[in-house]
Amino acid sequence: MFGKCQESNESGGGNDTSPSKGHCPESKPTISFSLFVISILLGATLSYYLGRSYKTYSWKPKLIQKTEGQKEKLLASAQYRRTKIKVSEDSQQDECSPSEEWILEEIFFQDFFGRYNHENNNSENEFDDEEDEEPEDEELEGEEDGKTGAPGTTIAVDFEKLDQNFLLDHMEVRESFLNVVWDASENLDIAVLSIHCQIKVRSTCEAIMKDGNFMRFLSDPAKKQLTFDTFIAGDEDIINIISIAQQHFDIRHQGRMRYSLKLRGTRPFNGRYTNYEHDLGEILLENKNHYFHKRKIGNAQTAFQNIHVYEALSYKVQSLEGYENSLETGVDNYYTQNPDLFRPNQWLFLDGVMQSSYLGDAAYHEALVHPAMLAHSVGPKRAAIIGGGEGATLREILKHRSIEVCTMIEIDAGMIKAARDWLPWMNNCSDFSDGNCFDDKRTDLRTEDAFAWFLKRFNKDSEPPAELQTDPFDVIVMDALDPEDTANFAVNLYKDLDFWGTILNAISDDGILVMQMGISPHVSDPGEEFGRNYNRATLFDTVEAVGFKRMFLYEEGHSNFQTPWSYLVACKSEKCSEEWYLNEAEIDLRIRERILPTKSGTPGLRYVDGSTMKKYQRPSRAWQTVYCRKLHSPVECKAFLDIKNVVLQRDAFQTSFNNGMKTIIAKVNMTKGTVISSTGSLTTKQALASNKLQFGSSLINDVVFESAISALDLLKDCNITHVLIEKDFHLGKISPYLERHLYMHDMHILEQDIKEGFEIDC
């Protein structure tokens, strides 16, 4: 500041000693000496108090137990040490003077936090100069088992659009912060040592706590913003601090809040991640900037799992302004007419693992239920659900006219209650039936162990007692197992032939089993048995071993899981494949015939239709690639490796009839090993585009097969060719490769050289 001061000496006008902007009065030696003495005194005083302040930080607090009504006593007994510099209004124009008003305030609590709770302490003696005693060895050992050096949790909260008058009242903001600290300390094992505040145009306070814990805030009244941060060591669940902060800082309930919760340090892995280490933390809680209006709807710890339900708006796919407009009253516009289009997304997490969401509900649950239901030849009458506690799977099954009873077996009654209370949109059947799906007259709801329930009634090795005898089901939906689960009971279940044999026994002759199979593979993944999905590989082997005839893999990419999701349909009868490969028009007609009409007039299915089902009829290329990376590569994956020539039947042979006898004549020269394909839209030139065919590409996918007996059948009967892959080769086999290349059953390989004009009349 003083570097900007200059003496003003104007020529011819004498000496002007009055101050002006950009200039300071002439310094006098007496004033300089006085300032020198004052600065020495201030420096000595500051050193004295800094030394005493250092000692206060080194003291060990004596903590006392919190009791009812002590919060008011705490606030009343707070001791303040305040340094205040106030600048007069007329000096604001003077560049030689400080330009800000600020207050430095330290708050110490005698009664609750016990910082000065020493035997000889009195109200006049604010500081105790006695050094603390060294902690005993016992206490040091205790620290090793406590929080010091242990993992911790950080929370960062940003408030926007807060009440400006509240933020300008620094004392009220400070008291709100004290309330946050107090309320948080009631539920957590934390001890506050002191609170330090600095008040300017903006204000900030920080609570210093035992074990390196802290809480602090910074307010900005001009921008109507306030930030709040905390770190708590250990493994305690501190997420309620967020709602406590919102309660005390957003007192007018008009602000916006964004927050993040992050785990710090390392934690031992015991086979399963904690809530915040899994999807709940990674997808939702850790990300402050991607989501706003983030709110916990409910949380419950049942006998089986920890349930979390959250809602939030995503910056990438949703509009905050649209949501706020949809909440307006007395306004008739697109937003208020369609509030469901702007509502926050909602998520269900079980033990931290995301199960479903509002935005992915239709895609996930319709993809899980309807492909199997529509593949049943006459429409299923009896269905069963294993799991499905949120009620959405039940809702989709009850949409079918043919359903007479749906038995839902969910082990966790707490999950059903949570779904009723916090996720009513998932189990709402009122648009096509009456009220809640759990209460539908066709619902047979049982809260017990589903696996034990089936074993008691459908064990293939024993006859159940009369009171447990149950008719088999046309469709069983497995909505309980997660192939990524590494818990011991789940791992053992994936390879339990007795249990899966029981499930097969519980299905009617033309019945179908469908289950979700977790995250879809990527083309860069290793074989399933070597990657993160080794449990899924085990489950595939088990399902194949128990005797299902046809199995189909498909995936859906709009389930809001941040990655495509896979499903498996397993049919007890080979007849199922005829229904699985219906065309789009046939599927759309079947949907109109089988799905109940809605009272609202909207389509009964929001996502699945004929075109969607057509997409499900072929697994993805990634499934084929990973399947062929097994340790022992499947036969069909190697079938084309040595093939260098493919000829379409129409280009290879012509058929003539002489006296009622069918004669086949070769049109071109062909060598042994040439593949002859059924008549289709491909040309020989296309087929021979490369030495090794790129199967799965457009070269062969467009083949249209003959339905009648062709010349290839005669060639096979004459032992001139053999089929590349027999049609019954993949019965009872999960083969994404074959499902993507069904034409392999109509491809024949020459067993000898054939010259042009060669006649085959056997």
Side-chain angles (χ1 to χ4, degrees):
M1 277 239 189
F2 294 106
K4 293 185 180 179
C5 300
Q6 301 176 12
E7 287 188 344
S8 177
N9 296 313
E10 299 181 7
S11 60
N15 294 332
D16 183 3
T17 59
S18 62
S20 60
K21 188 174 182 181
H23 297 78
C24 290
E26 184 179 355
S27 300
K28 305 294 185 186
T30 305
I31 296 175
S32 300
F33 178 77
S34 300
L35 290 174
F36 175 76
V37 172
I38 291 171
S39 65
I40 292 176
L41 292 174
L42 286 175
T45 303
L46 182 60
S47 299
Y48 172 75
Y49 278 105
L50 283 175
R52 299 175 69 94
S53 178
Y54 172 78
K55 288 184 179 180
T56 64
Y57 279 100
S58 65
W59 287 343
K60 171 185 153 189
K62 288 187 178 181
L63 304 178
I64 64 174
Q65 188 174 1
K66 293 188 285 284
T67 59
E68 202 60 39
Q70 201 170 15
K71 180 178 178 181
E72 291 73 17
K73 188 178 179 184
L74 160 70
L75 297 177
S77 67
Q79 296 187 22
Y80 304 100
R81 184 176 70 199
R82 174 181 290 188
T83 306
K84 182 176 180 180
I85 299 177
K86 188 172 183 180
V87 182
S88 60
E89 294 181 3
D90 57 356
S91 65
Q92 293 291 335
Q93 304 295 325
D94 192 342
E95 289 189 15
C96 300
S97 304
S99 59
E100 287 188 273
E101 174 182 357
W102 59 276
I103 299 171
L104 180 63
E105 184 174 69
E106 293 177 281
I107 309 171
F108 305 102
F109 302 96
Q110 283 186 317
D111 292 330
F112 169 58
F113 297 117
R115 183 172 185 118
Y116 313 109
N117 236 7
H118 299 284
E119 293 179 1
N120 299 324
N121 190 41
N122 55 63
S123 59
E124 295 180 358
N125 183 18
E126 185 177 355
F127 300 99
D128 190 340
D129 289 329
E130 294 181 7
E131 295 291 338
D132 260 356
E133 297 177 3
E134 289 296 323
E136 298 178 3
D137 291 342
E138 261 182 42
E139 296 179 38
L140 285 173
E141 289 174 6
E143 290 287 331
E144 294 179 4
D145 297 327
K147 296 179 182 177
T148 301
T153 306
T154 61
I155 288 176
V157 187
D158 292 343
F159 292 99
E160 301 173 350
K161 294 192 173 183
L162 292 180
D163 182 70
Q164 193 171 45
N165 292 328
F166 164 72
L167 294 176
L168 287 170
D169 188 339
H170 300 301
M171 296 303 103
E172 187 176 4
V173 176
R174 186 194 67 194
E175 184 174 345
S176 294
F177 179 65
L178 297 182
N179 286 329
V180 172
V181 174
W182 174 274
D183 291 351
S185 68
E186 286 189 314
N187 300 315
L188 298 171
D189 183 19
I190 57 178
V192 180
L193 305 180
S194 65
I195 298 178
H196 305 261
C197 296
Q198 183 177 350
I199 302 173
K200 300 181 181 180
V201 177
R202 297 188 292 181
S203 60
T204 180
C205 288
E206 179 166 4
I208 307 299
M209 305 175 182
K210 186 182 177 183
D211 297 327
N213 302 329
F214 68 83
M215 291 184 189
R216 64 185 172 213
F217 82 88
L218 172 66
S219 68
D220 189 341
K223 296 181 179 179
K224 301 181 181 180
Q225 295 177 349
L226 182 145
T227 61
F228 171 80
D229 301 276
T230 186
F231 170 81
I232 304 297
D235 282 323
E236 290 185 87
D237 187 349
I238 67 170
I239 196 167
N240 285 336
I241 292 179
I242 297 169
S243 58
I244 292 171
Q246 184 178 29
Q247 173 190 348
H248 293 297
F249 287 127
D250 189 12
I251 59 174
R252 305 288 187 268
H253 307 291
Q254 66 183 35
R256 295 176 180 174
M257 180 180 72
R258 292 181 295 172
Y259 67 83
S260 67
L261 180 149
K262 293 186 179 181
L263 300 181
R264 307 302 300 271
T266 57
R267 289 163 172 78
F269 181 67
N270 59 1
R272 304 188 83 173
Y273 291 107
T274 64
N275 291 317
Y276 302 141
E277 289 176 305
H278 225 301
D279 298 338
L280 176 57
E282 293 180 356
I283 296 175
L284 192 63
L285 297 183
E286 289 186 7
N287 199 325
K288 181 175 64 176
N289 296 322
H290 186 72
Y291 296 102
F292 49 90
H293 190 72
K294 197 182 323 183
R295 183 173 73 91
K296 181 171 72 173
I297 296 175
N299 172 223
Q301 176 65 59
T302 72
F304 301 94
Q305 55 201 345
N306 198 331
I307 303 169
H308 287 88
V309 179
Y310 277 82
E311 74 172 13
L313 290 160
S314 170
Y315 278 113
K316 290 186 177 180
V317 297
Q318 293 173 289
S319 164
L320 176 60
E321 289 71 23
Y323 171 62
E324 292 177 341
N325 291 340
S326 72
L327 299 178
E328 293 182 354
T329 57
V331 178
D332 185 23
N333 55 32
Y334 185 85
Y335 299 100
T336 57
Q337 292 170 6
N338 302 278
D340 284 348
L341 300 181
F342 301 96
R343 62 177 288 178
N345 194 12
Q346 290 185 355
W347 292 266
L348 168 65
F349 298 92
L350 299 181
D351 290 333
V353 180
M354 182 175 147
Q355 303 297 310
S356 52
S357 68
Y358 177 76
L359 293 181
D361 171 39
Y364 172 76
H365 288 102
E366 290 186 16
L368 174 65
V369 171
H370 298 297
M373 299 285 284
L374 295 172
H376 194 274
S377 58
V378 296
K381 295 181 178 180
R382 292 174 51 80
I385 304 169
I386 299 176
E390 70 270 61
T393 302
L394 173 64
R395 178 195 68 209
E396 295 304 319
I397 289 177
L398 293 178
K399 289 180 179 179
H400 285 255
R401 297 177 190 269
S402 58
I403 286 294
E404 297 175 356
V405 61
C406 181
T407 301
M408 175 178 160
I409 312 156
E410 166 62 56
I411 194 171
D412 193 353
M415 177 65 250
I416 296 173
K417 182 180 185 306
R420 285 182 183 269
D421 294 342
W422 302 327
L423 300 164
W425 49 270
M426 297 193 79
N427 42 76
N428 181 10
C429 287
S430 60
D431 198 26
F432 60 87
S433 186
D434 297 320
N436 192 286
C437 304
F438 294 128
D439 303 322
D440 192 283
K441 62 184 179 181
R442 296 171 293 167
T443 299
D444 175 21
L445 182 60
R446 300 169 182 267
T447 52
E448 55 184 295
D449 184 347
F451 305 122
W453 190 90
F454 276 95
L455 286 169
K456 290 177 183 177
R457 290 162 176 80
F458 296 101
N459 194 321
K460 57 182 175 30
D461 297 326
S462 62
E463 188 73 18
E467 65 273 14
L468 295 180
Q469 289 185 0
T470 306
D471 292 335
F473 298 97
D474 300 315
V475 171
I476 294 178
V477 181
M478 178 78 74
D479 194 18
L481 287 181
D482 185 347
E484 296 178 352
D485 196 337
T486 56
N488 289 334
F489 83 92
V491 174
N492 292 331
L493 193 64
Y494 299 143
K495 55 187 177 184
D496 189 340
L497 291 173
D498 290 335
F499 170 73
W500 292 101
T502 297
I503 294 297
L504 180 66
N505 202 38
I507 296 175
S508 59
D509 291 342
D510 292 331
I512 302 170
L513 168 70
V514 60
M515 59 187 114
Q516 63 95 0
M517 299 306 299
I519 296 172
S520 298
H522 190 271
V523 290
S524 61
D525 288 347
E528 291 274 279
E529 65 266 44
F530 299 105
R532 66 179 186 273
N533 293 312
Y534 60 90
N535 283 328
R536 185 160 63 193
T538 301
L539 181 57
F540 283 171
D541 293 339
T542 304
V543 172
E544 287 180 347
V546 297
F548 286 96
K549 294 296 184 183
R550 287 300 307 271
M551 284 158 281
F552 308 97
L553 274 169
Y554 61 100
E555 65 182 40
E556 174 53 56
H558 295 83
S559 300
N560 201 33
F561 288 131
Q562 299 188 324
T563 184
W565 213 253
S566 289
Y567 306 83
L568 176 69
V569 161
C571 302
K572 194 170 183 177
S573 167
E574 188 180 354
K575 183 180 179 182
C576 176
S577 59
E578 300 174 13
E579 310 296 330
W580 183 257
Y581 290 112
L582 296 177
N583 62 40
E584 293 99 319
E586 291 172 317
I587 295 170
D588 283 334
L589 179 60
R590 183 164 286 189
I591 289 173
R592 289 180 60 87
E593 292 173 343
R594 294 190 180 185
I595 300 299
L596 289 167
T598 62
K599 299 172 186 177
S600 63
T602 57
L605 303 186
R606 292 184 291 159
Y607 191 79
V608 167
D609 61 7
S611 296
T612 306
M613 283 289 296
K614 194 67 178 175
K615 180 186 70 174
Y616 294 160
Q617 291 175 0
R618 295 289 187 274
S620 68
R621 178 67 183 271
W623 264 116
Q624 168 188 304
T625 302
V626 172
Y627 171 76
C628 290
R629 286 181 179 149
K630 286 185 174 184
L631 179 61
H632 302 290
S633 184
V635 173
E636 61 269 31
C637 296
K638 300 179 288 186
F640 290 113
L641 291 181
D642 298 324
I643 294 174
K644 297 182 179 179
N645 190 19
V646 176
V647 182
L648 295 178
Q649 175 187 320
R650 66 186 181 192
D651 295 331
F653 298 98
Q654 65 181 19
T655 304
S656 64
F657 290 87
N658 186 13
N659 297 325
M661 296 293 295
K662 187 176 184 180
T663 302
I664 298 175
I665 303 173
K667 297 168 65 176
V668 294
N669 294 329
M670 292 172 283
T671 60
K672 180 180 179 180
T674 296
V675 173
I676 303 172
S677 178
S678 298
T679 302
S681 59
L682 294 181
T683 65
T684 304
K685 189 174 182 180
Q686 286 175 313
L688 298 176
S690 66
N691 286 338
K692 287 192 176 181
L693 294 174
Q694 301 299 313
F695 292 96
S697 67
S698 60
L699 286 182
I700 297 182
N701 281 345
D702 293 334
V703 173
V704 179
F705 305 111
E706 290 182 326
S707 58
I709 296 176
S710 68
L712 293 179
D713 297 310
L714 182 58
L715 292 172
K716 179 184 176 184
D717 292 340
C718 295
N719 296 321
I720 295 175
T721 66
H722 66 269
V723 179
L724 183 63
I725 297 291
E726 293 290 345
K727 288 188 177 182
D728 60 355
F729 177 80
H730 66 336
L731 288 180
K733 183 180 179 67
I734 300 173
S735 176
Y737 194 100
L738 286 174
E739 295 304 327
R740 285 179 56 82
H741 305 98
L742 293 175
Y743 54 80
M744 292 178 70
H745 303 306
D746 294 274
M747 302 185 81
H748 292 236
I749 300 178
L750 281 177
E751 296 185 354
Q752 63 185 58
D753 293 338
I754 291 181
K755 294 187 177 182
E756 181 181 356
F758 179 77
E759 293 187 8
I760 305 169
D761 57 4
C762 65

